[in-house]
Amino acid sequence: MSAPVLATRPAGRAMIFSVVFGVIYAFCFYYNWALFAYYPQVNEVHTSSLLVETLGPPILWYGWMASAALIAGVSAFIVPRGLSDRMWDGWAWIIPGAVVVAILIYEKRWFVQP
Amino acid sequence: MITTLLIVHGLLAVALLGAITHQAFSVRKRTGRQGQRSFVDQFSGVNPAVYATPIVLLFVVTCIGGGFLYPQYRLDVRPTLEDLQYRAANGVFEIKEHLAAIGLGMLPIYAAYWKTPLFAAHETTRRYLTWILTFLVWWNFLIGHILNNIKGLFS
């Protein structure tokens, strides 16, 4: 007879990565914490946080994602496995869902007259 | 080249939309009604677990395509939208890029909860993860198409 399979958490590290990524990404774009800025007009990447107007319009989205991925990746490895495995399953969708709602609320600024 | 990439990006998005919509319907609560099956029942009657890996791959590849298209948008389309004072159009695109990023970040936990064998205890988590991802995909699909055709739509 085979041993019963316990319904354990699928992956504690994946949980930490996904939860931290969403939250950190929101902070990154709100506070403009981009790891780098890409200037498509001149095809240059700059790591300086100061935007250079002479290089044309910057794209910060890649840099925000890189910042969030870096912090989420590090968090996933430094949070002890025992702690991440004990997290409630609901956080897996509640936190990303809350981040989506927060982003929608913040971005409503585009739909009102300045 | 950019037009080809845009078409491929759109086609991948269609495949992603179909896959995730099937999965989203399949995880809804069933009524247990026997007998005649409606169109929705049959649309939902798929094995949702087999969609998970294709959804992850399609999401990643579609986002990479979008990432390559973004510079062209930033240089040509966005300034045009600003000139035309389509402020809301810029806003919905801003939301699109944020939702794509959040979706990419959700993929590890989404894939983990859809890894077989599936446990009944994780059913609720799987359902809501799928529905959130479905919302992100539908938003990005619709906004991408509206922005692509915006001149014709609002001229």
Side-chain angles (χ1 to χ4, degrees), chain A residues 5-6 8-10 14-15 17-18 21 25 29 40-41 57-59 61-62 64-65 89 92-93 96 99 104 107 109-112, chain B residues 67 70-71 74-75 78 87-88 90-92 94-95 97-99 101-102 104-106 108-109 112-113 119 122 125 128-129 132 136:
Chain A
V5 180
L6 296 174
T8 54
R9 172 171 321 296
M15 166 81 100
F17 180 92
S18 292
F21 183 95
Y25 175 84
F29 94 80
Q41 201 163 297
I59 294 179
W61 184 58
Y62 308 133
W64 293 333
M65 285 199 294
D89 285 311
W93 63 271
V99 171
L104 292 176
E107 294 292 6
R109 64 201 165 104
W110 290 95
F111 309 100
V112 291
Chain B
Y70 196 1
R74 189 67 184 85
L75 292 176
R78 186 171 168 152
R87 191 175 156 77
N90 268 328
V92 290
E94 289 276 312
I95 295 171
E97 69 176 11
H98 297 323
L99 298 191
I102 300 297
L104 280 172
M106 282 175 67
I109 195 64
Y113 274 94
F119 295 106
H122 299 145
T125 304
Y128 288 115
L129 279 171
I132 292 170
L136 309 187

Short mmCIF file of all heavy atoms in Angstrom, two decimals, chain A residues 5-6 8-10 14-15 17-18 21 25 29 40-41 57-59 61-62 64-65 89 92-93 96 99 104 107 109-112, chain B residues 67 70-71 74-75 78 87-88 90-92 94-95 97-99 101-102 104-106 108-109 112-113 119 122 125 128-129 132 136:
data_model
loop_
_atom_site.label_atom_id
_atom_site.label_comp_id
_atom_site.label_asym_id
_atom_site.label_seq_id
_atom_site.Cartn_x
_atom_site.Cartn_y
_atom_site.Cartn_z
N VAL A 5 -0.60 10.80 0.10
CA VAL A 5 0.07 12.02 -0.35
C VAL A 5 -0.53 13.20 0.41
O VAL A 5 -1.74 13.40 0.42
CB VAL A 5 -0.15 12.21 -1.87
CG1 VAL A 5 0.55 13.48 -2.34
CG2 VAL A 5 0.38 11.01 -2.61
N LEU A 6 0.32 13.97 1.08
CA LEU A 6 -0.17 15.11 1.84
C LEU A 6 -0.31 16.33 0.93
O LEU A 6 0.48 16.54 0.02
CB LEU A 6 0.82 15.44 2.97
CG LEU A 6 0.97 14.37 4.04
CD1 LEU A 6 2.06 14.77 5.01
CD2 LEU A 6 -0.34 14.16 4.77
N THR A 8 0.60 19.38 0.65
CA THR A 8 1.54 20.40 1.13
C THR A 8 1.60 21.56 0.14
O THR A 8 1.09 21.46 -0.96
CB THR A 8 2.95 19.80 1.27
OG1 THR A 8 3.29 19.21 0.01
CG2 THR A 8 3.00 18.75 2.35
N ARG A 9 2.25 22.66 0.56
CA ARG A 9 2.37 23.80 -0.34
C ARG A 9 3.19 23.40 -1.55
O ARG A 9 4.22 22.75 -1.43
CB ARG A 9 3.08 24.95 0.38
CG ARG A 9 3.41 26.10 -0.55
CD ARG A 9 3.92 27.31 0.16
NE ARG A 9 3.23 27.55 1.40
CZ ARG A 9 1.95 27.83 1.51
NH1 ARG A 9 1.23 27.97 0.43
NH2 ARG A 9 1.40 28.00 2.68
N PRO A 10 2.75 23.78 -2.76
CA PRO A 10 3.49 23.38 -3.95
C PRO A 10 4.93 23.88 -3.94
O PRO A 10 5.83 23.15 -4.24
CB PRO A 10 2.69 24.02 -5.09
CG PRO A 10 1.34 24.24 -4.54
CD PRO A 10 1.52 24.49 -3.08
N ALA A 14 8.41 29.78 -4.72
CA ALA A 14 7.60 30.40 -5.78
C ALA A 14 6.60 31.38 -5.16
O ALA A 14 6.35 32.45 -5.71
CB ALA A 14 6.86 29.31 -6.56
N MET A 15 6.04 30.99 -4.01
CA MET A 15 5.09 31.86 -3.30
C MET A 15 5.77 33.17 -2.91
O MET A 15 5.25 34.26 -3.18
CB MET A 15 4.59 31.12 -2.05
CG MET A 15 3.88 31.99 -1.03
SD MET A 15 2.19 32.28 -1.48
CE MET A 15 1.38 31.11 -0.44
N PHE A 17 8.49 34.53 -4.18
CA PHE A 17 8.87 35.30 -5.37
C PHE A 17 7.67 36.06 -5.92
O PHE A 17 7.74 37.27 -6.15
CB PHE A 17 9.45 34.38 -6.46
CG PHE A 17 9.86 35.13 -7.69
CD1 PHE A 17 11.16 35.60 -7.82
CD2 PHE A 17 8.95 35.40 -8.71
CE1 PHE A 17 11.53 36.33 -8.94
CE2 PHE A 17 9.31 36.13 -9.84
CZ PHE A 17 10.61 36.58 -9.95
N SER A 18 6.55 35.36 -6.12
CA SER A 18 5.40 35.98 -6.77
C SER A 18 4.80 37.10 -5.91
O SER A 18 4.44 38.15 -6.43
CB SER A 18 4.34 34.93 -7.07
OG SER A 18 4.80 34.06 -8.07
N PHE A 21 7.39 40.02 -5.74
CA PHE A 21 7.54 40.67 -7.04
C PHE A 21 6.44 41.71 -7.26
O PHE A 21 6.71 42.85 -7.63
CB PHE A 21 7.51 39.64 -8.18
CG PHE A 21 7.72 40.24 -9.54
CD1 PHE A 21 8.99 40.26 -10.10
CD2 PHE A 21 6.67 40.80 -10.26
CE1 PHE A 21 9.19 40.83 -11.36
CE2 PHE A 21 6.87 41.37 -11.50
CZ PHE A 21 8.12 41.38 -12.06
N TYR A 25 7.26 45.57 -7.43
CA TYR A 25 7.06 46.23 -8.74
C TYR A 25 6.22 47.49 -8.56
O TYR A 25 6.53 48.53 -9.15
CB TYR A 25 6.38 45.27 -9.73
CG TYR A 25 6.06 45.96 -11.03
CD1 TYR A 25 7.03 46.08 -12.03
CD2 TYR A 25 4.82 46.56 -11.25
CE1 TYR A 25 6.75 46.77 -13.20
CE2 TYR A 25 4.54 47.24 -12.42
CZ TYR A 25 5.51 47.34 -13.39
OH TYR A 25 5.24 48.03 -14.55
N PHE A 29 7.57 51.29 -9.62
CA PHE A 29 7.07 52.27 -10.58
C PHE A 29 6.55 53.52 -9.87
O PHE A 29 6.65 54.62 -10.38
CB PHE A 29 6.06 51.65 -11.55
CG PHE A 29 4.61 51.76 -11.18
CD1 PHE A 29 3.90 52.93 -11.41
CD2 PHE A 29 3.94 50.69 -10.63
CE1 PHE A 29 2.56 53.03 -11.08
CE2 PHE A 29 2.61 50.78 -10.30
CZ PHE A 29 1.92 51.97 -10.53
N PRO A 40 15.36 54.29 -26.31
CA PRO A 40 15.26 53.66 -27.63
C PRO A 40 15.73 54.55 -28.78
O PRO A 40 16.19 54.04 -29.80
CB PRO A 40 13.76 53.33 -27.75
CG PRO A 40 13.08 54.20 -26.77
CD PRO A 40 14.04 54.46 -25.67
N GLN A 41 15.63 55.87 -28.60
CA GLN A 41 16.01 56.76 -29.71
C GLN A 41 17.50 56.63 -30.03
O GLN A 41 17.90 56.71 -31.18
CB GLN A 41 15.67 58.20 -29.33
CG GLN A 41 15.55 59.13 -30.51
CD GLN A 41 14.82 60.39 -30.13
OE1 GLN A 41 13.64 60.37 -29.74
NE2 GLN A 41 15.53 61.50 -30.20
N PRO A 57 12.98 59.98 -25.18
CA PRO A 57 12.12 59.41 -24.13
C PRO A 57 12.68 58.09 -23.58
O PRO A 57 13.12 57.25 -24.36
CB PRO A 57 10.79 59.18 -24.85
CG PRO A 57 11.12 59.11 -26.30
CD PRO A 57 12.34 59.96 -26.51
N PRO A 58 12.69 57.94 -22.27
CA PRO A 58 13.21 56.68 -21.70
C PRO A 58 12.12 55.63 -21.55
O PRO A 58 10.94 55.95 -21.50
CB PRO A 58 13.67 57.12 -20.31
CG PRO A 58 12.72 58.21 -19.95
CD PRO A 58 12.29 58.89 -21.24
N ILE A 59 12.53 54.37 -21.49
CA ILE A 59 11.62 53.29 -21.11
C ILE A 59 12.12 52.77 -19.75
O ILE A 59 13.24 52.28 -19.65
CB ILE A 59 11.61 52.15 -22.15
CG1 ILE A 59 11.00 52.65 -23.46
CG2 ILE A 59 10.81 50.95 -21.63
CD1 ILE A 59 10.97 51.61 -24.57
N TRP A 61 10.11 50.68 -17.85
CA TRP A 61 9.39 49.42 -17.55
C TRP A 61 10.34 48.24 -17.40
O TRP A 61 10.21 47.45 -16.45
CB TRP A 61 8.39 49.15 -18.68
CG TRP A 61 7.51 47.96 -18.49
CD1 TRP A 61 6.65 47.72 -17.45
CD2 TRP A 61 7.39 46.84 -19.38
NE1 TRP A 61 6.00 46.52 -17.65
CE2 TRP A 61 6.43 45.97 -18.82
CE3 TRP A 61 7.99 46.49 -20.59
CZ2 TRP A 61 6.06 44.77 -19.43
CZ3 TRP A 61 7.61 45.30 -21.20
CH2 TRP A 61 6.66 44.45 -20.62
N TYR A 62 11.33 48.11 -18.31
CA TYR A 62 12.28 47.00 -18.20
C TYR A 62 13.04 47.10 -16.87
O TYR A 62 13.28 46.09 -16.21
CB TYR A 62 13.31 47.03 -19.33
CG TYR A 62 12.78 47.13 -20.74
CD1 TYR A 62 13.32 48.06 -21.64
CD2 TYR A 62 11.77 46.30 -21.19
CE1 TYR A 62 12.86 48.15 -22.94
CE2 TYR A 62 11.31 46.40 -22.50
CZ TYR A 62 11.86 47.33 -23.37
OH TYR A 62 11.40 47.42 -24.66
N TRP A 64 12.08 48.62 -14.06
CA TRP A 64 11.20 48.32 -12.91
C TRP A 64 11.08 46.81 -12.72
O TRP A 64 11.15 46.30 -11.60
CB TRP A 64 9.80 48.90 -13.13
CG TRP A 64 9.71 50.38 -13.15
CD1 TRP A 64 10.55 51.27 -12.52
CD2 TRP A 64 8.72 51.16 -13.84
NE1 TRP A 64 10.13 52.54 -12.78
CE2 TRP A 64 9.01 52.51 -13.58
CE3 TRP A 64 7.62 50.86 -14.63
CZ2 TRP A 64 8.24 53.55 -14.10
CZ3 TRP A 64 6.86 51.89 -15.14
CH2 TRP A 64 7.17 53.23 -14.88
N MET A 65 10.89 46.10 -13.84
CA MET A 65 10.73 44.64 -13.74
C MET A 65 12.03 44.00 -13.26
O MET A 65 12.00 43.06 -12.46
CB MET A 65 10.31 44.06 -15.09
CG MET A 65 8.86 44.31 -15.40
SD MET A 65 8.22 43.21 -16.67
CE MET A 65 9.17 43.73 -18.08
N ASP A 89 -2.07 29.73 2.04
CA ASP A 89 -2.24 29.64 0.58
C ASP A 89 -2.90 30.89 -0.02
O ASP A 89 -2.59 31.28 -1.14
CB ASP A 89 -3.12 28.43 0.23
CG ASP A 89 -2.38 27.13 0.37
OD1 ASP A 89 -1.27 27.03 -0.14
OD2 ASP A 89 -2.92 26.21 1.01
N ALA A 92 -1.22 33.80 -1.92
CA ALA A 92 -0.75 33.61 -3.30
C ALA A 92 -1.58 34.40 -4.29
O ALA A 92 -1.06 34.87 -5.31
CB ALA A 92 -0.77 32.13 -3.66
N TRP A 93 -2.88 34.55 -4.01
CA TRP A 93 -3.71 35.32 -4.95
C TRP A 93 -4.19 36.64 -4.36
O TRP A 93 -4.43 37.59 -5.11
CB TRP A 93 -4.90 34.48 -5.44
CG TRP A 93 -5.87 34.05 -4.38
CD1 TRP A 93 -5.82 32.93 -3.62
CD2 TRP A 93 -7.04 34.76 -3.95
NE1 TRP A 93 -6.89 32.88 -2.75
CE2 TRP A 93 -7.65 34.00 -2.94
CE3 TRP A 93 -7.63 35.98 -4.33
CZ2 TRP A 93 -8.82 34.42 -2.28
CZ3 TRP A 93 -8.79 36.38 -3.69
CH2 TRP A 93 -9.38 35.60 -2.68
N PRO A 96 -1.21 39.50 -5.00
CA PRO A 96 -1.18 40.00 -6.39
C PRO A 96 -2.50 40.68 -6.79
O PRO A 96 -2.49 41.69 -7.49
CB PRO A 96 -0.94 38.74 -7.22
CG PRO A 96 -0.29 37.78 -6.29
CD PRO A 96 -0.89 38.07 -4.95
N VAL A 99 -2.51 44.11 -5.39
CA VAL A 99 -1.59 44.98 -6.15
C VAL A 99 -2.26 45.45 -7.44
O VAL A 99 -2.17 46.63 -7.80
CB VAL A 99 -0.26 44.25 -6.45
CG1 VAL A 99 0.60 45.04 -7.43
CG2 VAL A 99 0.52 43.99 -5.17
N LEU A 104 -4.81 49.88 -10.44
CA LEU A 104 -5.96 50.45 -11.15
C LEU A 104 -6.44 51.73 -10.48
O LEU A 104 -6.78 52.70 -11.16
CB LEU A 104 -7.10 49.42 -11.21
CG LEU A 104 -6.85 48.18 -12.08
CD1 LEU A 104 -8.00 47.19 -11.97
CD2 LEU A 104 -6.63 48.56 -13.54
N GLU A 107 -3.80 54.48 -11.21
CA GLU A 107 -3.76 54.90 -12.61
C GLU A 107 -5.05 55.58 -13.10
O GLU A 107 -5.12 55.98 -14.26
CB GLU A 107 -3.42 53.71 -13.52
CG GLU A 107 -2.02 53.15 -13.32
CD GLU A 107 -0.90 54.11 -13.76
OE1 GLU A 107 -1.18 55.27 -14.13
OE2 GLU A 107 0.27 53.68 -13.73
N ARG A 109 -5.74 58.35 -12.49
CA ARG A 109 -5.32 59.73 -12.73
C ARG A 109 -5.32 60.07 -14.23
O ARG A 109 -5.43 61.22 -14.61
CB ARG A 109 -3.92 59.97 -12.15
CG ARG A 109 -2.83 59.16 -12.80
CD ARG A 109 -1.61 59.02 -11.92
NE ARG A 109 -0.76 57.95 -12.44
CZ ARG A 109 0.37 58.15 -13.12
NH1 ARG A 109 0.81 59.38 -13.32
NH2 ARG A 109 1.07 57.15 -13.57
N TRP A 110 -5.19 59.05 -15.08
CA TRP A 110 -5.17 59.29 -16.52
C TRP A 110 -6.57 59.61 -17.06
O TRP A 110 -6.70 60.09 -18.17
CB TRP A 110 -4.66 58.05 -17.25
CG TRP A 110 -3.22 57.79 -17.05
CD1 TRP A 110 -2.65 56.96 -16.12
CD2 TRP A 110 -2.12 58.37 -17.77
NE1 TRP A 110 -1.29 56.99 -16.23
CE2 TRP A 110 -0.93 57.84 -17.23
CE3 TRP A 110 -2.03 59.28 -18.82
CZ2 TRP A 110 0.32 58.18 -17.70
CZ3 TRP A 110 -0.78 59.62 -19.30
CH2 TRP A 110 0.38 59.08 -18.73
N PHE A 111 -7.58 59.29 -16.29
CA PHE A 111 -8.94 59.41 -16.80
C PHE A 111 -9.68 60.61 -16.22
O PHE A 111 -10.86 60.77 -16.46
CB PHE A 111 -9.72 58.11 -16.53
CG PHE A 111 -8.97 56.90 -17.01
CD1 PHE A 111 -8.26 56.10 -16.12
CD2 PHE A 111 -8.94 56.59 -18.36
CE1 PHE A 111 -7.53 55.02 -16.57
CE2 PHE A 111 -8.22 55.50 -18.81
CZ PHE A 111 -7.51 54.71 -17.91
N VAL A 112 -8.95 61.40 -15.44
CA VAL A 112 -9.56 62.62 -14.91
C VAL A 112 -8.79 63.80 -15.47
O VAL A 112 -7.60 63.69 -15.77
CB VAL A 112 -9.56 62.65 -13.36
CG1 VAL A 112 -10.50 61.62 -12.81
CG2 VAL A 112 -8.16 62.46 -12.81
N GLY B 67 7.69 43.29 -25.33
CA GLY B 67 8.88 44.03 -24.92
C GLY B 67 9.68 44.54 -26.10
O GLY B 67 10.23 45.65 -26.06
N TYR B 70 7.76 47.51 -27.65
CA TYR B 70 7.60 48.68 -26.80
C TYR B 70 8.39 49.91 -27.28
O TYR B 70 7.85 51.02 -27.32
CB TYR B 70 7.97 48.32 -25.36
CG TYR B 70 7.51 49.28 -24.30
CD1 TYR B 70 6.78 50.42 -24.61
CD2 TYR B 70 7.80 49.06 -22.95
CE1 TYR B 70 6.37 51.30 -23.63
CE2 TYR B 70 7.39 49.94 -21.98
CZ TYR B 70 6.68 51.06 -22.31
OH TYR B 70 6.27 51.93 -21.36
N PRO B 71 9.67 49.75 -27.68
CA PRO B 71 10.41 50.95 -28.12
C PRO B 71 9.71 51.70 -29.26
O PRO B 71 9.66 52.93 -29.25
CB PRO B 71 11.76 50.38 -28.58
CG PRO B 71 11.92 49.14 -27.77
CD PRO B 71 10.54 48.57 -27.64
N ARG B 74 6.93 53.60 -27.82
CA ARG B 74 7.39 54.76 -27.04
C ARG B 74 7.83 55.92 -27.93
O ARG B 74 7.64 57.09 -27.60
CB ARG B 74 8.57 54.33 -26.12
CG ARG B 74 8.99 55.37 -25.11
CD ARG B 74 7.91 55.59 -24.09
NE ARG B 74 8.22 56.65 -23.15
CZ ARG B 74 8.00 57.95 -23.37
NH1 ARG B 74 7.47 58.34 -24.53
NH2 ARG B 74 8.28 58.85 -22.45
N LEU B 75 8.41 55.58 -29.09
CA LEU B 75 8.93 56.62 -29.97
C LEU B 75 7.87 57.17 -30.93
O LEU B 75 7.88 58.36 -31.22
CB LEU B 75 10.11 56.08 -30.80
CG LEU B 75 11.38 55.76 -30.02
CD1 LEU B 75 12.43 55.15 -30.94
CD2 LEU B 75 11.93 57.02 -29.34
N ARG B 78 3.13 56.69 -28.70
CA ARG B 78 2.80 57.51 -27.52
C ARG B 78 2.84 59.01 -27.81
O ARG B 78 1.91 59.72 -27.41
CB ARG B 78 3.74 57.15 -26.37
CG ARG B 78 3.33 57.85 -25.10
CD ARG B 78 4.08 57.37 -23.90
NE ARG B 78 3.84 58.30 -22.80
CZ ARG B 78 3.88 57.97 -21.54
NH1 ARG B 78 4.14 56.74 -21.19
NH2 ARG B 78 3.65 58.86 -20.60
N ARG B 87 -5.45 61.18 -23.68
CA ARG B 87 -4.84 60.92 -22.37
C ARG B 87 -5.24 59.54 -21.83
O ARG B 87 -4.41 58.79 -21.31
CB ARG B 87 -5.29 62.03 -21.41
CG ARG B 87 -4.57 62.07 -20.12
CD ARG B 87 -5.01 63.28 -19.31
NE ARG B 87 -4.80 63.04 -17.89
CZ ARG B 87 -3.62 63.11 -17.30
NH1 ARG B 87 -2.54 63.41 -18.00
NH2 ARG B 87 -3.50 62.87 -16.01
N ALA B 88 -6.51 59.21 -21.99
CA ALA B 88 -7.00 57.92 -21.48
C ALA B 88 -6.32 56.75 -22.20
O ALA B 88 -6.06 55.71 -21.59
CB ALA B 88 -8.51 57.84 -21.65
N ASN B 90 -3.25 56.66 -23.30
CA ASN B 90 -1.95 56.48 -22.66
C ASN B 90 -2.12 55.79 -21.31
O ASN B 90 -1.30 54.97 -20.92
CB ASN B 90 -1.25 57.82 -22.46
CG ASN B 90 -0.35 58.17 -23.63
OD1 ASN B 90 0.22 57.27 -24.25
ND2 ASN B 90 -0.23 59.44 -23.94
N GLY B 91 -3.18 56.14 -20.62
CA GLY B 91 -3.45 55.55 -19.31
C GLY B 91 -3.71 54.07 -19.38
O GLY B 91 -3.14 53.29 -18.61
N VAL B 92 -4.52 53.66 -20.35
CA VAL B 92 -4.83 52.23 -20.44
C VAL B 92 -3.58 51.44 -20.86
O VAL B 92 -3.40 50.28 -20.46
CB VAL B 92 -6.03 51.90 -21.37
CG1 VAL B 92 -7.33 52.36 -20.75
CG2 VAL B 92 -5.85 52.46 -22.76
N GLU B 94 -0.50 52.33 -19.95
CA GLU B 94 0.30 52.25 -18.71
C GLU B 94 -0.18 51.06 -17.87
O GLU B 94 0.62 50.30 -17.34
CB GLU B 94 0.14 53.54 -17.90
CG GLU B 94 0.81 54.76 -18.51
CD GLU B 94 2.28 54.85 -18.16
OE1 GLU B 94 2.61 54.69 -16.98
OE2 GLU B 94 3.08 55.06 -19.08
N ILE B 95 -1.51 50.93 -17.76
CA ILE B 95 -2.07 49.82 -16.99
C ILE B 95 -1.69 48.49 -17.64
O ILE B 95 -1.33 47.53 -16.96
CB ILE B 95 -3.61 49.97 -16.86
CG1 ILE B 95 -3.94 51.22 -16.06
CG2 ILE B 95 -4.22 48.74 -16.21
CD1 ILE B 95 -5.41 51.60 -16.04
N GLU B 97 0.99 47.71 -19.34
CA GLU B 97 2.38 47.31 -19.05
C GLU B 97 2.52 46.85 -17.60
O GLU B 97 3.23 45.88 -17.32
CB GLU B 97 3.37 48.44 -19.38
CG GLU B 97 3.30 49.64 -18.49
CD GLU B 97 4.38 50.70 -18.79
OE1 GLU B 97 5.05 50.61 -19.81
OE2 GLU B 97 4.50 51.63 -17.98
N HIS B 98 1.80 47.51 -16.68
CA HIS B 98 1.88 47.08 -15.28
C HIS B 98 1.28 45.68 -15.11
O HIS B 98 1.83 44.85 -14.40
CB HIS B 98 1.13 48.06 -14.36
CG HIS B 98 1.71 49.44 -14.35
ND1 HIS B 98 3.05 49.67 -14.42
CD2 HIS B 98 1.11 50.66 -14.27
CE1 HIS B 98 3.28 50.98 -14.39
NE2 HIS B 98 2.11 51.59 -14.30
N LEU B 99 0.14 45.44 -15.76
CA LEU B 99 -0.52 44.14 -15.61
C LEU B 99 0.32 43.02 -16.23
O LEU B 99 0.35 41.90 -15.70
CB LEU B 99 -1.94 44.17 -16.22
CG LEU B 99 -2.93 45.15 -15.58
CD1 LEU B 99 -4.34 44.88 -16.09
CD2 LEU B 99 -2.92 45.09 -14.06
N ALA B 101 3.54 42.97 -16.26
CA ALA B 101 4.62 42.72 -15.28
C ALA B 101 4.10 41.91 -14.10
O ALA B 101 4.74 40.93 -13.68
CB ALA B 101 5.20 44.05 -14.79
N ILE B 102 2.93 42.30 -13.58
CA ILE B 102 2.36 41.56 -12.44
C ILE B 102 2.09 40.11 -12.85
O ILE B 102 2.35 39.17 -12.10
CB ILE B 102 1.04 42.22 -11.95
CG1 ILE B 102 1.28 43.66 -11.50
CG2 ILE B 102 0.38 41.41 -10.84
CD1 ILE B 102 2.19 43.83 -10.33
N LEU B 104 3.65 38.35 -15.18
CA LEU B 104 4.93 37.62 -15.25
C LEU B 104 5.38 37.20 -13.85
O LEU B 104 5.85 36.09 -13.66
CB LEU B 104 6.00 38.52 -15.89
CG LEU B 104 5.99 38.62 -17.41
CD1 LEU B 104 6.99 39.69 -17.87
CD2 LEU B 104 6.33 37.29 -18.06
N GLY B 105 5.22 38.10 -12.90
CA GLY B 105 5.61 37.79 -11.53
C GLY B 105 4.77 36.70 -10.91
O GLY B 105 5.23 35.94 -10.04
N MET B 106 3.50 36.58 -11.35
CA MET B 106 2.60 35.57 -10.80
C MET B 106 2.86 34.17 -11.37
O MET B 106 2.39 33.17 -10.80
CB MET B 106 1.14 35.94 -11.09
CG MET B 106 0.55 37.00 -10.19
SD MET B 106 -1.12 37.43 -10.76
CE MET B 106 -2.00 35.90 -10.42
N PRO B 108 5.36 32.00 -11.51
CA PRO B 108 5.93 30.90 -10.71
C PRO B 108 4.92 30.26 -9.76
O PRO B 108 4.83 29.03 -9.69
CB PRO B 108 7.07 31.58 -9.93
CG PRO B 108 7.46 32.73 -10.78
CD PRO B 108 6.19 33.21 -11.41
N ILE B 109 4.13 31.09 -9.08
CA ILE B 109 3.18 30.51 -8.12
C ILE B 109 1.99 29.87 -8.85
O ILE B 109 1.47 28.84 -8.43
CB ILE B 109 2.73 31.56 -7.06
CG1 ILE B 109 2.06 30.87 -5.88
CG2 ILE B 109 1.82 32.62 -7.62
CD1 ILE B 109 2.96 29.98 -5.10
N ALA B 112 3.22 26.57 -9.96
CA ALA B 112 3.38 25.66 -8.81
C ALA B 112 2.04 25.08 -8.37
O ALA B 112 1.95 23.89 -8.08
CB ALA B 112 4.05 26.41 -7.66
N TYR B 113 1.00 25.92 -8.35
CA TYR B 113 -0.31 25.42 -7.90
C TYR B 113 -0.99 24.55 -8.96
O TYR B 113 -1.92 23.81 -8.65
CB TYR B 113 -1.23 26.58 -7.49
CG TYR B 113 -1.00 26.97 -6.05
CD1 TYR B 113 -0.12 27.99 -5.72
CD2 TYR B 113 -1.62 26.29 -5.01
CE1 TYR B 113 0.12 28.34 -4.40
CE2 TYR B 113 -1.39 26.62 -3.69
CZ TYR B 113 -0.52 27.64 -3.39
OH TYR B 113 -0.28 27.96 -2.09
N PHE B 119 -4.09 19.04 -5.74
CA PHE B 119 -4.72 18.74 -4.46
C PHE B 119 -6.01 19.54 -4.32
O PHE B 119 -6.04 20.73 -4.63
CB PHE B 119 -3.78 19.08 -3.31
CG PHE B 119 -2.54 18.23 -3.31
CD1 PHE B 119 -1.32 18.75 -3.71
CD2 PHE B 119 -2.60 16.90 -2.92
CE1 PHE B 119 -0.19 17.97 -3.72
CE2 PHE B 119 -1.46 16.10 -2.94
CZ PHE B 119 -0.26 16.63 -3.34
N HIS B 122 -6.11 22.92 -2.57
CA HIS B 122 -5.61 24.13 -3.25
C HIS B 122 -6.56 24.63 -4.33
O HIS B 122 -6.19 25.52 -5.09
CB HIS B 122 -4.24 23.84 -3.88
CG HIS B 122 -3.20 23.44 -2.90
ND1 HIS B 122 -2.22 22.51 -3.20
CD2 HIS B 122 -3.00 23.81 -1.61
CE1 HIS B 122 -1.45 22.35 -2.14
NE2 HIS B 122 -1.90 23.11 -1.16
N THR B 125 -7.32 28.47 -4.28
CA THR B 125 -6.14 29.26 -4.66
C THR B 125 -5.91 29.17 -6.17
O THR B 125 -5.67 30.18 -6.83
CB THR B 125 -4.89 28.75 -3.90
OG1 THR B 125 -5.17 28.81 -2.51
CG2 THR B 125 -3.67 29.59 -4.21
N TYR B 128 -8.59 31.32 -8.04
CA TYR B 128 -8.41 32.78 -8.04
C TYR B 128 -7.14 33.21 -8.77
O TYR B 128 -7.12 34.26 -9.42
CB TYR B 128 -8.47 33.33 -6.62
CG TYR B 128 -9.88 33.29 -6.06
CD1 TYR B 128 -10.21 32.49 -4.99
CD2 TYR B 128 -10.90 34.01 -6.68
CE1 TYR B 128 -11.50 32.41 -4.51
CE2 TYR B 128 -12.20 33.95 -6.21
CZ TYR B 128 -12.50 33.15 -5.13
OH TYR B 128 -13.79 33.07 -4.67
N LEU B 129 -6.08 32.39 -8.67
CA LEU B 129 -4.87 32.71 -9.45
C LEU B 129 -5.20 32.72 -10.94
O LEU B 129 -4.78 33.60 -11.68
CB LEU B 129 -3.77 31.67 -9.17
CG LEU B 129 -2.96 31.85 -7.90
CD1 LEU B 129 -2.07 30.62 -7.66
CD2 LEU B 129 -2.10 33.10 -7.96
N ILE B 132 -7.40 35.81 -11.84
CA ILE B 132 -6.62 37.07 -11.88
C ILE B 132 -5.81 37.12 -13.17
O ILE B 132 -5.80 38.13 -13.89
CB ILE B 132 -5.72 37.21 -10.63
CG1 ILE B 132 -6.57 37.42 -9.38
CG2 ILE B 132 -4.74 38.39 -10.80
CD1 ILE B 132 -5.78 37.32 -8.08
N LEU B 136 -5.94 39.80 -16.39
CA LEU B 136 -4.78 40.51 -16.94
C LEU B 136 -4.66 40.26 -18.45
O LEU B 136 -4.39 41.19 -19.21
CB LEU B 136 -3.47 40.06 -16.26
CG LEU B 136 -3.39 40.04 -14.74
CD1 LEU B 136 -1.97 39.72 -14.29
CD2 LEU B 136 -3.82 41.36 -14.15
#
